[in-house]
Amino acid sequence: MTEKQDEDIRIGIFVCHCGTNIGGFVDCEQLAEYATTLPNVAHSEHNLYTCSETGLAAIRNAVKEHNLNRVVVASCTPRTHEPLFRDCVQEVGLNPYLFNFVNIRDQCTWVHMKETDAAFEKAKDLIKMGSAKAAKLEALERIVVDINPIALIIGGGISGMNTAISLSKQGFKTHLVEKEDKLGGRLKSLYKLFPNDQEASAFLEDMTKKVEASKNLTVYTSSKIKSIEGFIGNYNVEIEQNGDIISLNVGAIIVAVGASVFEPTNLFGYDGEKSITQLELENKLKNNEVDANNIVMIQCVGARNEERVYCSSICCMTALKNALIIKEFNPDAHVTILFRDIYTPGIQYEQYFKKARKAGVLFIKYTLEKLPLVDKNEIKVFNEYLGEEILIPYDLLVLSTPLIANNDNSDLAQMLKVPLEENNFFLEAHVKLRPIDFATDGIYICGSAKWPVDITESTTQGLAAASRASRILSHETIEVESSTAYLPEWNKSLCKGCEVCITICPYNAIIKNEDDEIEIIQALCKGCGTCGSTCTKHAIEIKHFNNEQIMAEIIAFGGKIIE
Amino acid sequence: MEKVGAVLIVGAGIGGSQAALDLAESGYKAYLIESTTSIGGVMAQLDKTFPTNDCAICIVSPKLVEAGRHPNIDIKINAVIDSFSGEPGNFTANITEKTLYIDMEKCTGCGVCGQECPVEAIDVFNEGLSLKGATSVKYPQAVPLVFAIDRDYCIGCGICKGVCKAKAIDYDLEDKKSELKVGAVILSLGFDEFEPNNMKHYGYGIYDNVVTSIQFERILSASGPFSGKVLRPSDGSTPSKVAFLHCVGSRDPKFGQEYCSSVCCMYTCKEAVIAKEHMEGLEPTIFSMDIRAYGKDFDKYIERAQNEYGVRYIRSRISSITEIPETKDLKLSYEDEKGRVIQEIYNMVILGVGLNPPKDAKYIAEKFGVELNEYGFINAKPLSPVETSRPGVFVCGACSSPKDIPETVIEASGAAGKVNEILSPVRDTLVTKKEYPNEIDISGKEPRVGVFVCHCGINIGGYVDVPEVMKYARTLPNVVLADMNLYTCSADTQTLIKDKIKEFNINRVIVASCTPRTHEPLFQETIREAGLNRFLFQMTNIRDQCSWVHMHQPEEATEKAKDLVRMAVAKSRINEALETFELKVTPIALIIGGGVAGMTAALNFANQGFQAYIIEKEKQLGGFALKIYETLEGDNIQEFIQDLIKKVNSEEKIQVFLEANIEVIDGYVGNFISTVNYGPNKTSTQLDHGVVLVATGGNEYKPKEYLYGEVPNIITQQELEEKLFTSSEIQKKKSIVMIQCVGSRNDEHPYCSRTCCAEAIKNALNIKKKNPEAEVVILFRDIRTYGFKEKYYRKARENGVLFIRFDKEKPPQISKENENLKVSIESQKMGKITLNSDLIVLSSGIVAPAEGNEVLAKMVKVPLNEDKFFLEAHVKLRPVDFATEGIFLCGTAHGPATISESIAQANSAVSRATTILSKETLLIGGAVSVVDKDICTGCKICVRICPFNAIVKDEEGYAYVQEALCKGCGLCSASCPEKAITTKHFTNEQILSEIYALGGKEVI
Amino acid sequence: MSFEPRILGFLCNWCSYAGADLAGVSRIQYPPNIRVIRVMCSGRVDPEFIFKALKLGIDGVIITGCHPGDCHYIEGNYEAVKKFELVQKLLSKLNMEKRIRLEWVSASEGNRFAEVITDFTNQIKELGPSPLSGKDLDMELMEKLEALEMAAESYRLRALVGRERKITEQENVYGEKYPKEKFDNLFDAAINNEYIRNRILLSLEKNPKSVKDLATQLNIDSKEILNHILVLKGRNQVAMEDIIENQPIYLNVMER
C-alpha cells in the first residue's frame, strides 16, 4: 500500500440543492449535517447552486477559513462539472486532484423521485463513500509533454503527398519518406483515373509539383524507416537512405504506406502476355499496345475467397474504366466482364456502370463454386442466368486482382507499436469514430495502408490525417492524463517482469526499460487502470483510482470491516 | 580410410557419462547424446544406493559436473538419432537436438521461469508424484542446469520470457540438426522400469497406496516430493506396515518378463532399510522368491537388514492385493512355504518392478544396425560382453541386460576400453589444446584485489543488497576494484573481468556469487587467460548459502554476504600462485595375473600400442578358466582360453613372466619400478611401468564339509565338469544330488560365490542331456540365476531337475551306508526327506588367495575387504580403481565373477589405465601438501593417515609427499603433531585469516 | 419490512456512468438500492473489489461498461469480461454467482441502465439477503469467501486471466491460437485447485492440522489434499511441524 504522510486530513463537503432538482426530493440541510458526522470532515454546508459563482465563492472561503485540504461536492455529475470545481479548488491553492465529486442528482434524486426516503439514504451513502475516497486522495502532478512541431509521413503515394502538402502549407516542418526512387506510389503505373478519366500521369505531375513547391517539406526517396522510439510530440526516428542513417525528431507520424497488388501466379492462365492483370493492361493502354478484339475480364481473382475474404473495393471500377477505354479506342471490340458482384457504390460509380453497359460491355455472373475455366482461346463459364455453360472466345484475358497489405507492414507496425488486422492492413483506433487515428497518440493513418481505397478516398484521408496531426502539432505542449498507472518505487521488488501488463495495455504505454524493469510511460498512459487490476503481483497502482481509494469507498458503503 | 578420433555415446546415464569421461581423458572427443534434457539417467532419481547407502545424487553429481565441463565432452541434450552409417573407425551420425525454447548458452538455471510458470505439469522425474511448471529443469542438481519448455503442457503465455533476466528464452528456437563424424559408438541407453499397469491383481493405478519401487525412491529422496518422509499417497499418513513385492514383471512370463531383473532383490532391501532409517517405527516386510544377493557384500547387507533393521522376509509370491476402502489399507493374500494361505493387512505396498529394455531400444537398434536379443535388449555375447553385432558399435549397462550401477560403470569403462583398441591411432587428433599467455609473476608485489559481486538475476540481487556489498568491498584492504554484474558467469562478463584485471593491474580475483563446486573452474580459467595463476582466484558463495537460504531476512543476508566477502578478501590477499609440474609417464602396464582378465587386459593394451607385462605365478597362462569347459550359454571355454593364450604369446608388445612373483613395487602413478622374480630359477628383473593392474583371480574352495575327500563319489562341481567332458563315468550315475553354497554364505565365507548356481544348472542340464534317465536333485538355499540365466533355471526344471530348498541352519546331512550315499534334508515344503544318491556334487565357492592377496595388497598399498578380496576405491562409481592412483583391479581378484564379467572388467581396467597411459605427462603439484623437513620428526602419523598413500618416508626418515598422489585433502596437515605439513591453498595462515576477518580481531 | 438489498455498482466513466446520468436527465426511475463507484474503465475493476464488497455483506455487485467494440480504452471491457468470468467461476463454488452481474450500457442507453438496475435489483431481491449481511456471521462461509478472494488474488489465476485473451483469441508465443476449450479446462482446474489450496491455508492458519483433519473439514478426498499440501510446501507456504500418531501435522508458514 502507498506510503502516506501523517497529515491532518480536513474535508469540506458542499451539498447542492440544484434548485429543486436535488433539494426538492432530499433534505440537503440534513445531508450537510450528516456529513459533519463523517470522519475527517472539518466543514460542511449546503448551497442552492454550488456551481454558481456564489457557490464557488463559498467553497473558496471555506477552504481558507477551515483550512480544508479536500473538497467534496455532492451535486450533479462529474462528467459536466468536475472541471469547474477542480479549477475552483486550484484557485485557492489546492491540487485539483484533491477534489471529489458525488453524484446525488443524475443518479439519485432524478431517478428515485417517488422514493424520497430511499433517495435520502442513498445520498447519505454516496456522500459517505465520496468522503471516504476524498480522505485517501493524493495530489497529482500534471503531466505536460513538449510537442516538437514536425511531422513525419511514411509513404509518398497519393495520400501521403496530400498529407504532406497540407501540413507544410499549415507551416509545419514535414518529412516525407518514400521507399521507391520516385513519389507517386501506385499512381505511377495507372493510365487514367475513374470516374473522370483524367490522365494519371498529369495528375501525378501536378501533385509532384505541389510537393516540390512546398517550403517546409523534405522528401526522402529510396529511404526506409530503421527505428522509431518515443511518444506523442517526441518521436525519434531513424531513416536509412542509400546506406546513410538520418535521425529525425518529430511530433507526429502519419502512416501512408499504401498497399501492394496481388500477383495471380497459377491463376486463370496468368502469363503476363495473353492473360494479364488490370495493372498490366493499364500499361498496355498507356502505350497503345492493345490490339485484341475479344477481351475478357475476370473479377475477384484471388479476392473474396477463402484465402482472402475481403473485397478489394476498387477493382470493379478499374475494370469498368478500362473496358470503357478499350471501347473508346475500338468500339468493335468485344469486352466481356465475368463478375461475381458488381460493387459500384454511390451515384457517380453506379452511373459509370450504366455507361459501360450502354457502351456494349457484356457482363456475365459467375460463382465461387463454378469458376471460369480458361482454355487456350476460349473461356468456359457457367452462365447463371441461362443456367448453362457457355464458351467465350478471347484473345486477351484481364484479371482483376485485389490490393493486399505490404509484406513489410508488420515490421513497421512493430516499430510503431500499432496493431494490424488479420489481413495485415493497419488497424485504426476506432472503426467509426477514430478512423484516422491509431490508439497510440500522435500516430495517424491514411490511404490504402488501412484498407484498399481509391484516389478520391486516399485524398480525403490524407487531408484528414493532416488535420488530425495538426491538432497536436499546433500546440507547444500537450497535457496528458495525470491519473495514470505507475509502478511505485516500493512495489518494484514485487514485479518479476511477467509482462502481462505490457500485452494488455491498449496504448503500448508499458515497456521494459534498459534496466529490464517495467516502466509506464506517463505520456502514453490514459489511466484506464486495466493493468492495475491485471498485474499478477499487485505491483501497479492507478493514480486517483488506486486500490486504497476504491476500497475506502466499498468499505464506506459496506459499513463494517471484517478481518 | 581415415579414422576419426571421436566417439558417439548414446544415452547419458551413469554408464554413458563414465564412458565419455574415460574417453575424453584418453584423448578422444566424446559426443554424449541424451534424449532428455539432463544427463544422469535413473541413478539421479534414486535416493540411496546399495550396499553402502551412499546418497545417489551426492556421488553421481560430481561425475556429471565433471562430464558437463570437460572440454572434450560435447553434451547434446534433448537429442534423437536420425541416421547412422559408415564403418568402424569412420561412422557418420545425424542427430537432431530438439529445441528447448531456451538458449542453453544464456540460461543460468536460476529457475525463475519455472516458479512463475502459471501452468502445472506432471513431474516425470518425480514419477508423477508431484507437479512442476511447464518450464522446468529435470531436477535441481541437473547437468547441464538448463531449463526447458515442455510443449505438451506449455500454453504459450510468454510469461517465462518476461521474467527471465538472462534473456535466455526464445520461442523461435528451432530444432538443431547436426552431422557427427565418429570412429566408434557406445550404446548406453539404460533401461525402462516395468510398468505394472496390466497387473490388475496388484491394483497398481487403482489403489492409491500401491506404488512402484521407482516411485518409492522419489518418496524416499530428500529432494523428492515428500522431502524424504515416507507418506501414503492416499492420505499423507505415515505407514507402519509396508510390504515390498519381489519379481513384479520379472521371472513372470505371464505378466512381465521371463528373465530375472538382477537388481530388485537388493534395491527392495535397500528401500526397506532406508525407509526404516527415515521413519522409525516402520515395519517393512519383503515378499521374495529367491533372494538374489549375489554381488560383493550383498549377502551381508541382507543379513544386516534382517538383524539390525528388522526387515522381515517372507518367501512367497503374492497372488493378489485388495484394498480396504475405508482405510485404504491393503490386504495381501499369500501362501507360505508350508502351503498355508495367510492374509495380512499392510498400510502401503511397494512393487519391486523389474528392468525392461529401454523403450527406444528397437528404434536405436534399427538405426545402428545392431541385433536385439529375444527379450528386446541389445544383444551382447558372454565372451564379448560389451560388443554388439556391429563392429565398432559397443554397448554397456542395462540396455544389454539388467545390471546394477557398478556393473554398468565397469561395462562403460569396458566399452571405452574396446573403443581405445580401434581408435588409438587417432588419439589426440580431435581434442583441443589451449594456449595460455605466460603467467604474470606476482611474487613480492602488493596484493591488488578485484571483487566481482554477482546479482545472479534476482537470485542474489532480489534479497541481498548487491550494490551495498559492492560498496562495502571497496572499503576492504587491498581491494582496488569492486564491481557488480547481472550474471558474473556470463560470457561477456568473462571478457570484462579480463579487461579489468589489465586495467587495474589486479593480481587477486574474487567472485561473490554461487558455489565453487560448479563455477570455480570457469573463473579460474578466466583469470588464467588473463595471465594470472589459477590459485589467485577466490570464490565466495553468497547465493546457495546466503540469499537462497535467508530470503525472508534480506538485511541479515546482506550482512552475511559482506562478512563472506570480507573473509574472502582476507584469504585472497595471502593466496599464492602455485606451481604445477609435468611428470613423464611410462606408457607400460604391469598386469599381475595371467588368467582371462589379465590376458584380456594385456591384449587390449597391446592393441592400443602400449607395452604390457604379465606376471603369472603358475607355469602357464590361463588361470581358473583352464578348468572350465563350457559356459551356461554353451560357449566353448577351452577353445577360447587356448586362443587367448596363443594371441598373448604371439603379441610382441606383451612380455609374459611365468612362475613369477613380484618382490617390490616402487614409485607412483606414471613411474612405477617393480622387481620381479620369475622362472624356475627365480631370475630377478626390474621393470618400469606407468600403471598396475591387479588380476590375481581366485581359487576354488576345497570343501572341508560333507565328507569331501573321504568318499570318492562326493566331488566338486569343477570335478564334475571335468568328468562330464572327459569321461563317460557320469552317464552311469542314476541319482545325483548337488548341494549348493558349499563354502559360501556361511560364517567362514559369508559372501555368495555368484557363479555356483549357474554352474550347477549347467552341469545338471549336461547330465540330463547325456543321460535323461538320471535323477538330478539340487539342494539350494536360493537359486541365483540372475539376468538371462533365469532361462536355464526354467529349462532345468522343465527337464526334470528337482530343486529342494533348505535353510542355512538346517544343512543336508550325508550318511554313507556301504556304497550308498544317503542325503537327508529338511525342506519347509516337504518336511524331512531322505534321498539315495550315487553321486554327490558339492557346489564349492570361490575364495580369495588370502596369503598372496595380503602380500600384494601391502606391496601396492591397497586394501582388502573382510573376505580378502581386493577393495575398490568406490563400490559404485570406481569399481575397478583403487584409491591409490595408477593401480587398477579386474576379475575375480575383486570378488567372484563369471568369465563374461571378468572380460568386461579387464577392458574396464584398461580403459581406466589408459586415461593415464595416453598422456605423455601428468600434471602434478598445485594445491598439495609439503613437509618442512626441519620440523618433521618422522613419526609417520601422516603416512598412516593419508587416504591416498601419497606420503612415504624418504631415505633420511622424514615424511615426503609424493605430489603425484596427493589430492590436497589436508588430513596430514591437521594431524601432524609438529605442524610440519602445509597444505597449499588451504594453509593455516590462509584459513586463520578468514577466521580473523570474521572475528574482527586477531587472537593469540 | 420487505428486503431492500444493498447493491454496489461499478460504472465505467465513459459509457455507463454517462448512461446512468442520462437516465437521470430523462427522469427514468429505478430502484434506489444501488450505490455507484465511478471507475475510468470497467477493466479497472479488480476481482478483489467484488470479493471485498461481498465479504462486507453487500447483497449484489454490478459492473457496467461500454458495449464490446465501443470501449473508450479500446479493449478494457474485454478484459473486464475475463475478470468477471473468473469471479463468477469462483463464486459458483458457493452458489453466489448470481449476486454479481456484468452488463453493457452505452452513454445513450439511460433507459437500458434503468432496466438493467431494476432487473438486477429484483434478481437480488429474489435471492434474498446476502448470507453475510446479518449480524450473526456464518464464519465458515466467510472463510470460503476469503479463500476465493485469495485465489482470485493469487499470482497464478491473475496470470492466466491476464493472458487468456492474448493466447486464445490472438496468438500465443508460438504464433498459434491456444484452443479455448483446452484453456478453459486448464483454467477451471486451476481455479478449483487454488481455491482449495487457499482453504487449506486458511484452515492451517488457525491451527496446524493433518491431511486427514483437512480432508474431513473440507470434505475433500485426502489424496487430493495431500497433493495440494505438496504444492503449498513447494511454495514455502506450509511446512510439516510434527508427526502425531502416523499423521504428519502441517502448519501455515506464510507471512501475512
Side-chain angles (χ1 to χ4, degrees), chain A residues 77 103 106 110-113 122 125 439 503 507 528 533-535 538 545 547 551 557-558 560 562, chain C residues 6 17 21 24 27 29-30 32 34-35 38 43-44 48 55-56 73-74 79 83 142 153 158 163:
Chain A
T77 171
N103 185 337
D106 304 44
W110 276 355
V111 290
H112 312 308
M113 288 171 160
K122 177 169 176 178
D125 279 348
T503 22
Y507 303 101
C528 71
S533 59
T534 305
C535 176
H538 306 270
F545 288 91
N547 280 17
M551 224 55 110
F557 174 41
K560 56 190 163 172
I562 331 165
Chain C
R6 297 196 301 163
Y17 197 90
D21 279 353
R27 309 299 195 273
Q29 303 296 296
Y30 54 84
I34 185 173
R35 310 289 183 263
R38 183 170 66 110
R44 169 66 185 111
E48 188 184 350
K55 276 164 64 188
L56 289 169
Y73 299 106
I74 305 165
E79 293 301 333
K83 292 175 176 55
M142 183 61 88
E153 285 186 47
R158 283 177 84 97
R163 278 292 194 242

Side-chain angles (χ1 to χ4, degrees), chain A residues 257-519:
Chain A
V257 293
S260 311
V261 178
F262 173 68
E263 192 167 305
T265 316
N266 294 332
L267 290 175
F268 301 109
Y270 174 71
D271 57 5
E273 284 175 22
K274 200 173 175 183
S275 175
I276 61 176
T277 62
Q278 289 286 3
L279 207 61
E280 286 161 340
L281 174 65
E282 300 241 358
N283 202 36
K284 280 183 193 279
L285 289 172
K286 208 192 283 185
N287 302 330
N288 202 3
E289 287 170 359
V290 179
D291 55 358
N293 265 325
N294 293 315
I295 295 131
V296 178
M297 296 182 180
I298 303 179
Q299 298 301 102
C300 297
V301 173
R304 299 175 67 206
N305 57 13
E306 257 181 49
E307 193 187 346
R308 238 166 265 99
V309 290
Y310 62 89
C311 161
S312 176
S313 81
I314 59 165
C315 336
C316 281
M317 289 303 296
T318 309
L320 293 176
K321 174 188 75 182
N322 289 338
L324 280 167
I325 293 169
I326 291 167
K327 275 290 195 185
E328 203 180 310
F329 276 127
N330 177 7
D332 295 336
H334 297 283
V335 182
T336 311
I337 298 182
L338 307 181
F339 70 99
R340 282 169 56 204
D341 295 288
I342 291 288
Y343 286 0
T344 48
I347 300 166
Q348 235 180 348
Y349 289 179
E350 188 64 17
Q351 277 172 354
Y352 211 60
F353 179 31
K354 279 201 184 119
K355 192 174 161 192
R357 283 165 58 173
K358 259 189 200 152
V361 177
L362 202 62
F363 290 87
I364 297 173
K365 190 177 169 77
Y366 75 91
T367 62
L368 191 55
E369 290 73 38
K370 289 180 185 151
L371 291 179
L373 290 173
V374 176
D375 230 338
K376 213 172 168 191
N377 297 312
E378 282 169 342
I379 292 169
K380 206 190 275 177
V381 62
F382 184 84
N383 188 318
E384 287 283 317
Y385 296 112
L386 301 175
E388 62 184 41
E389 226 166 49
I390 57 169
L391 292 176
I392 309 166
Y394 76 96
D395 34 32
L396 183 64
L397 177 62
V398 185
L399 308 177
S400 294
T401 57
L403 288 183
I404 55 172
N406 296 340
N407 54 17
D408 54 0
N409 277 4
S410 55
D411 295 341
L412 184 59
Q414 246 165 25
M415 280 190 263
L416 287 166
K417 303 188 190 76
V418 297
L420 298 177
E421 44 85 276
E422 55 189 350
N423 298 303
N424 275 343
F425 288 104
F426 285 89
L427 183 63
E428 65 273 33
H430 193 284
V431 68
K432 293 283 172 205
L433 299 178
R434 297 178 65 193
I436 301 298
D437 300 3
F438 279 110
T440 312
D441 276 349
I443 307 178
Y444 307 92
I445 179 163
C446 58
S448 294
K450 190 176 71 170
W451 199 245
V453 286
D454 61 23
I455 305 270
T456 319
E457 184 79 0
S458 289
T459 309
T460 317
Q461 290 189 12
L463 295 172
S467 161
R468 296 294 295 157
S470 70
R471 273 188 80 217
I472 302 296
L473 299 175
S474 55
H475 292 83
E476 273 181 29
T477 60
I478 187 166
E479 189 176 328
V480 295
E481 184 60 59
S482 298
S483 151
T484 52
Y486 74 122
L487 180 58
E489 195 62 38
W490 54 88
N491 275 358
K492 273 192 175 164
S493 64
L494 293 177
C495 175
K496 296 281 182 285
C498 74
E499 297 184 3
V500 171
C501 53
I502 295 182
T503 22
I504 226 158
C505 176
Y507 303 101
N508 298 306
I510 312 182
I511 56 159
K512 276 253 177 95
N513 65 17
E514 284 166 7
D515 296 330
D516 205 29
E517 283 171 349
I518 289 289
E519 188 179 313

